[in-house]
Amino acid sequence: MSWLLRRNMLPLHSNSLARRPFASPLPLPPASLPSPRETHIWYVVPDELKDASLLYQYMELLSPCERQSVLRMNGERLQKGALLARALVRTTLARYTDGRLSPKSFKFQKNRFGKPEVEWDKYDLWAPPPLQFNISHTSTMIACGVTLDLPIGIDIEEKQRKTSNNILSLAHRYFSPVEVAYLKTLADPECRQSEFIRLWTLKEAYVKALGRGFSGTPFKDFTIRLEASNSKQVTGELKSDAPSIVVEAVDDPGILMNRWQFALFELNNSHYTAVCMERDVKNPADGENNSLKLEVWRTLPFVEDECVTETDAVKNIIR
Amino acid sequence: MRKRGTPPNRALRARRPPEISPTVRSLPLAFSLSSDRSMASISGTVTATSVRPRLTSRAPVVKGFSGLKSVSFSIQRNGFPSVRLQAAPRRLRFQVSCAAKPETVQKVCEIVKKQLALSDDTPVSGESKFSTLGADSLDTVEIVMGLEEAFGISVEEESAQSITTVQDAADLIEKLVEAKSS
């Protein structure tokens, strides 16, 4: 395997990390690629990072340009967040290359609208997986979503987030009429606030999945709502018709943009999380549930990974 | 796209300027490295060039920059021809002609600090970028709404997307306030 890049992947005993702060990190456990309708989410909780030497290790993974950007952030807390975000993207992507690519070796470019994507090198005897990713962060969590060859957008917001402006004022200004009407039906202010935040994350995730940016996809031009789905008949049984999240253009109500599928859930009991992914039309599901599948890991790169998919850390999932 | 400090005198630009040292500053991109947070500031790459002229000691300066009439270089040993610059307008040429008043910038800084819950001693100036201050897209729209309320203006979505620094916001506010009162 000598032609493959393994320079930055030297194994080390974990107890020597403290004594040798600039030593190479532990190798990342390889992860299986996401399947066609799957989004993998890796998230970091910055407060869990207690070891300062880890920050140096993460810094080593970044390109010079990324390092400069991190250092330009205003204050230590924001710098740490920016650093963790880049480290999370790089380490997450590296996991899916079966040890062939180190986190440091990744290069990034922006599409013509400014959305970051991986710039893959050409290799002689190996085709890198066509991974697509998107990140989102708050001061208390950073999340990275990965798919195999499907556009993805992810957005997280703290559940407790309060807005300075009145919820309905914000909604009138930025949301579609259908969404405003929905929020108005909620009498309880706390309920209205949380629904606003959840709707915001869904709209953000959609715009980010499209990759055309805020101005390319103004919030006011589309509605995201729940739609009662048609029950599917599978071997004579009726499947439950749980409502699904759909998106439609304000100018074209009733024409659902079926190309996009969503998931909305609570992460780590602290954040509302929305994922928007393009539906995989190349691999249509025959008769089975066509909704977005999730696999979620909590991570502190090079220290600890924990799959939390079936746990309490991922709950209240709506798709 | 706006080039700051571009000299308005086209005749001056056509001639070779003496010892110009351009400083190029890149404004934040749509998806900056603080990830999605600068979602609202989608405008692609914008490069702002501020040009500060520096005259060599060999060039006799008739007056300061503000009253620069002409500068001529003596013929150098290696035979470069002398360069004469056109007479320039009396006002200071290498400044942004439509920069917002300091009070406006100050007010914007206050609103931004409040929205982002920054401490009083956090340095925020005209050059501060919303993304580096930690503003995400929801913060940015809240800041825009706060500015609309404070200044009695209405900001178009397209204009809001081009705001990436405090200075951008202040400049836009003054433009809108002026348009409103005219």
Side-chain angles (χ1 to χ4, degrees):
Chain A
M1 294 261 207
S2 55
W3 63 85
L4 300 169
L5 301 162
R6 289 184 76 88
R7 282 194 299 273
N8 296 319
M9 302 281 284
L10 298 170
L12 264 180
H13 286 296
S14 54
N15 57 8
S16 63
L17 272 174
R19 287 197 296 268
R20 295 167 61 185
F22 296 90
S24 296
L26 289 166
L28 295 161
S32 308
L33 293 171
S35 64
R37 269 172 304 289
E38 224 171 42
T39 295
H40 286 188
I41 296 173
W42 297 77
Y43 72 92
V44 165
V45 178
D47 289 339
E48 284 178 8
L49 196 157
K50 311 279 189 209
D51 182 3
S53 71
L54 214 46
L55 290 175
Y56 288 113
Q57 290 185 37
Y58 293 156
M59 207 49 143
E60 286 295 304
L61 306 177
L62 272 51
S63 69
C65 190
E66 286 173 339
R67 271 180 226 154
Q68 277 177 31
S69 290
V70 163
L71 295 171
R72 271 200 291 267
M73 296 299 286
N74 196 308
E76 259 185 47
R77 187 182 61 81
L78 290 174
Q79 286 176 6
K80 182 179 167 189
L83 172 56
L84 279 175
R86 294 319 300 162
L88 179 64
V89 173
R90 285 175 170 275
T91 54
T92 301
L93 292 170
R95 293 171 195 276
Y96 295 100
T97 62
D98 203 22
R100 289 167 160 91
L101 292 180
S102 67
K104 198 175 164 69
S105 63
F106 280 88
K107 292 199 280 279
F108 298 92
Q109 61 193 10
K110 294 191 197 287
N111 76 1
R112 60 197 175 106
F113 301 107
K115 182 176 182 182
E117 50 188 32
V118 182
E119 187 188 326
W120 298 103
D121 278 335
K122 295 266 185 294
Y123 303 97
D124 280 335
L125 293 149
W126 175 67
L131 302 168
Q132 298 207 30
F133 74 94
N134 194 234
I135 46 170
S136 174
H137 57 96
T138 66
S139 53
T140 48
M141 183 191 284
I142 305 158
C144 178
V146 181
T147 64
L148 193 61
D149 213 13
L150 291 164
I152 178 202
I154 180 173
D155 191 57
I156 59 174
E157 291 293 347
E158 286 174 357
K159 281 168 66 175
Q160 300 308 315
R161 179 159 189 167
K162 297 283 179 278
T163 58
S164 326
N165 294 280
N166 169 266
I167 295 286
L168 285 182
S169 308
L170 277 166
H172 272 293
R173 184 85 165 71
Y174 291 103
F175 282 11
S176 75
V178 169
E179 291 163 343
V180 175
Y182 166 65
L183 287 172
K184 279 188 173 154
T185 66
L186 307 169
D188 174 39
E190 276 193 30
C191 187
R192 193 180 274 179
Q193 186 261 343
S194 66
E195 284 306 289
F196 173 84
I197 299 292
R198 290 166 90 214
L199 202 39
W200 184 275
T201 60
L202 281 167
K203 291 172 83 76
E204 272 283 312
Y206 172 63
V207 170
K208 293 173 78 182
L210 249 74
R212 275 191 252 127
F214 223 58
S215 54
T217 327
F219 266 23
K220 260 195 176 305
D221 289 357
F222 64 92
T223 295
I224 294 188
R225 58 179 178 81
L226 284 178
E227 168 99 346
S229 53
N230 304 316
S231 15
K232 290 201 164 78
Q233 283 208 292
V234 179
T235 62
E237 288 175 48
L238 236 69
K239 302 209 84 175
S240 68
D241 54 349
S244 57
I245 303 172
V246 295
V247 60
E248 62 189 10
V250 167
D251 290 340
D252 249 333
I255 313 292
L256 304 178
M257 294 190 266
N258 276 315
R259 232 177 99 207
W260 302 100
Q261 52 184 166
F262 295 85
L264 177 68
F265 54 98
E266 285 179 37
L267 198 50
N268 209 36
N269 289 307
S270 59
H271 284 73
Y272 293 128
T273 305
V275 175
C276 176
M277 191 172 103
E278 196 177 71
R279 211 177 281 274
D280 186 8
V281 291
K282 293 194 294 283
N283 297 292
D286 339 282
E288 64 178 72
N289 191 353
N290 203 12
S291 58
L292 198 159
K293 291 186 191 38
L294 290 168
E295 290 286 328
V296 186
W297 288 264
R298 185 186 58 79
T299 178
L300 192 57
F302 305 127
V303 176
E304 192 179 37
D305 302 326
E306 187 195 344
C307 182
V308 296
T309 310
E310 300 290 326
T311 72
D312 215 37
V314 183
K315 56 182 193 192
N316 299 336
I317 307 174
I318 305 176
R319 294 174 223 260
Chain B
M1 276 201 326
R2 188 160 50 89
K3 276 192 170 190
R4 289 175 182 230
T6 312
N9 187 337
R10 291 193 181 273
L12 178 64
R13 261 204 307 209
R15 287 171 172 68
R16 219 181 73 184
E19 298 274 339
I20 303 273
S21 57
T23 50
V24 178
R25 221 161 19 106
S26 284
L27 296 176
L29 302 167
F31 288 79
S32 75
L33 290 174
S34 47
S35 80
D36 62 302
R37 296 181 142 236
S38 57
M39 272 296 300
S41 58
I42 307 297
S43 53
T45 316
V46 178
T47 311
T49 315
S50 67
V51 177
R52 224 174 288 130
R54 204 167 13 104
L55 297 173
T56 62
S57 52
R58 283 181 293 227
V61 180
V62 177
K63 291 185 185 181
F65 290 155
S66 52
L68 194 64
K69 284 275 193 187
S70 71
V71 172
S72 53
F73 294 88
S74 53
I75 294 174
Q76 309 297 318
R77 284 207 180 178
N78 47 18
F80 282 118
S82 65
V83 176
R84 287 187 70 89
L85 298 174
Q86 273 279 4
R90 280 196 171 267
R91 65 186 169 87
L92 209 54
R93 288 177 288 119
F94 296 100
Q95 269 210 352
V96 179
S97 54
C98 52
K101 294 195 285 289
E103 308 93 73
T104 312
V105 176
Q106 183 57 33
K107 184 89 187 130
V108 175
C109 287
E110 277 168 29
I111 291 170
V112 168
K113 272 189 174 179
K114 188 159 159 246
Q115 172 63 34
L116 302 180
L118 302 172
S119 62
D120 280 329
D121 52 350
T122 309
V124 180
S125 70
E127 287 194 340
S128 303
K129 292 174 195 157
F130 291 153
S131 56
T132 54
L133 293 173
D136 65 11
S137 52
L138 185 50
D139 286 316
T140 308
V141 306
E142 295 231 75
I143 288 169
V144 169
M145 279 182 76
L147 296 175
E148 288 181 327
E149 210 177 325
F151 291 94
I153 48 170
S154 177
V155 180
E156 293 290 306
E157 213 52 61
E158 294 79 41
S159 316
Q161 299 326 311
S162 62
I163 296 174
T164 51
T165 64
V166 168
Q167 187 70 50
D168 289 342
D171 292 346
L172 179 62
I173 287 163
E174 292 217 338
K175 207 166 79 175
L176 292 172
V177 165
E178 199 186 300
K180 196 177 141 188
S181 56
S182 62

